[in-house]
Amino acid sequence: MNGLSEIVDALEIKLEKLSQKLDRLQSENQELKNEVSRSALALKRQSEDIVALKQQNESLRMANSLLGSDDNKRETKLKINSLIREIDYCIAQLSD
């Protein structure tokens, strides 16, 4: 019976250790999930910043070319022609 008692005690100790390890792993898992959420949020913000900066860059290039820069004159002329065609189309639609 003494051997059986020792086996039961050893099992209880192992179960306690397993329970503690489970708690520790669950806590670590939750921390990692929180970190993933924070990283995803940061990535989303950075993506939005990139889009905004690209738009700002395009606006600045357009303004620079309108101010007389020779670098983007062709792009500016194409954009102006595109805008004129859109305006002409709108006028034609209003005339009908």
Side-chain angles (χ1 to χ4, degrees), residues 15-62:
L15 282 174
E16 182 64 32
K17 287 181 181 179
L18 281 174
S19 176
Q20 290 173 355
K21 188 172 186 176
L22 176 65
D23 291 341
R24 187 173 59 249
L25 289 174
Q26 286 176 337
S27 174
E28 183 180 342
N29 188 28
Q30 186 60 44
E31 289 174 16
L32 291 172
K33 285 181 181 180
N34 292 341
E35 185 177 337
V36 166
S37 295
R38 286 190 303 270
S39 296
L41 184 61
L43 180 62
K44 181 180 177 186
R45 274 186 266 165
Q46 289 172 348
S47 296
E48 291 170 354
D49 289 346
I50 288 171
V51 169
L53 289 171
K54 283 182 179 180
Q55 290 173 347
Q56 184 180 9
N57 184 30
E58 182 62 29
S59 297
L60 289 172
R61 281 194 312 131
M62 188 63 62

Side-chain angles (χ1 to χ4, degrees), residues 36-95:
V36 166
S37 295
R38 286 190 303 270
S39 296
L41 184 61
L43 180 62
K44 181 180 177 186
R45 274 186 266 165
Q46 289 172 348
S47 296
E48 291 170 354
D49 289 346
I50 288 171
V51 169
L53 289 171
K54 283 182 179 180
Q55 290 173 347
Q56 184 180 9
N57 184 30
E58 182 62 29
S59 297
L60 289 172
R61 281 194 312 131
M62 188 63 62
N64 189 28
S65 62
L66 289 173
L67 291 173
S69 172
D70 291 334
D71 296 337
N72 300 319
K73 277 192 175 183
R74 182 177 184 282
E75 290 179 31
T76 304
K77 287 179 182 179
L78 291 175
K79 184 67 175 177
I80 290 172
N81 287 337
S82 172
L83 291 172
I84 289 172
R85 280 192 298 276
E86 286 183 38
I87 291 170
D88 287 342
Y89 177 77
C90 290
I91 290 172
Q93 292 293 323
L94 291 173
S95 297

